[in-house]
Amino acid sequence: MNQSRSRTPRRSDATRTAILDAARERFAADGYDRATIRAIARDANIDPSMVMRYYGNKEGLFAAAVAIDLKLPDPASLSPDRAGQALVTHFLTMWEQNEVLTALLRVGATNEAGAERMQGIFADQLLPLALRVCPDPEQAPARAALASSQLLGLALTRYVLRFPPAVTLAPEEIVAWLAPTVQRYLTAPHPA
């Protein structure tokens, strides 16, 4: 009997999915401060108490809603001389397909919980890649931060602020412009 239960999706799984989908959309549209548990529950067609039951509070819900795996290339498979191009291409693809990243950027710029979430993603996912390709491991955190400044700057101008010139650039143009800068941050000799 337990085997058949494990194969059938539970109603609680569907409820959690509905809550997280609604939360992602609401955080993306309204930002962290303006998004409310009531509005998210209404969007998910459930009682607000269910959101609290599963996630405890708004911060817990936000953390679950923006759990992001950037799916970065395996550092061991990445050629150090192509790291900039690989990162810019990958991030651009992720931003084009994932509204959660836009929500996280909006919230991270204005809210401590969002900023901490972004810092965790940086430390857990981008820093190991920088450690693999940069010439001096002690410089990897600074180099990863500089690369992040370019990638997040692009995301801010293209997906949040929607500057027309940034929005209309073709992805290939963005890669051509941005990849050499990111590459330099990751692998060029340290400036004297």
Side-chain angles (χ1 to χ4, degrees):
M1 189 188 286
N2 285 344
Q3 288 179 344
S4 65
R5 233 187 237 175
S6 65
R7 292 182 195 162
T8 306
R10 296 173 46 199
R11 190 176 340 172
S12 63
D13 293 338
T15 301
R16 286 178 194 267
T17 298
I19 292 168
L20 290 177
D21 288 346
R24 287 180 186 115
E25 289 181 23
R26 184 61 60 179
F27 285 129
D30 296 346
Y32 181 86
D33 291 330
R34 291 191 349 236
T36 66
I37 296 292
R38 285 194 185 285
I40 292 165
R42 184 178 57 245
D43 294 347
N45 294 317
I46 61 163
D47 188 85
S49 65
M50 294 301 289
V51 176
M52 302 304 281
R53 175 179 170 200
Y54 289 122
Y55 299 101
N57 57 30
K58 187 172 161 180
E59 284 187 9
L61 175 60
F62 177 73
V66 297
I68 295 173
D69 179 359
L70 296 176
K71 298 178 177 88
L72 292 174
D74 177 14
S77 70
L78 192 61
S79 170
D81 62 334
R82 308 270 299 154
Q85 182 176 357
L87 270 178
V88 174
T89 301
H90 182 79
F91 269 90
L92 191 59
T93 301
M94 289 286 296
W95 282 97
E96 292 287 329
Q97 299 173 355
N98 192 335
E99 288 183 9
V100 175
L101 290 171
T102 303
L104 184 57
L105 182 59
R106 282 186 178 137
V107 173
T110 61
N111 176 273
E112 186 176 335
E116 287 174 5
R117 194 78 183 135
M118 290 187 78
Q119 291 165 10
I121 291 168
F122 168 83
D124 297 341
Q125 298 180 48
L126 186 58
L127 191 53
L129 190 139
L131 280 165
R132 164 75 170 89
V133 301
C134 84
D136 181 352
E138 289 183 17
Q139 297 172 358
R143 289 171 178 261
L146 290 167
S148 294
S149 73
Q150 295 299 304
L151 297 167
L152 293 175
L154 168 68
L156 181 66
T157 57
R158 185 172 173 93
Y159 303 106
V160 177
L161 300 174
R162 303 198 47 82
F163 289 3
V167 172
T168 59
L169 276 172
E172 304 80 36
E173 288 179 279
I174 293 171
V175 172
W177 280 102
L178 210 54
T181 300
V182 172
Q183 182 70 38
R184 182 173 62 82
Y185 284 150
L186 293 173
T187 61
H190 188 277

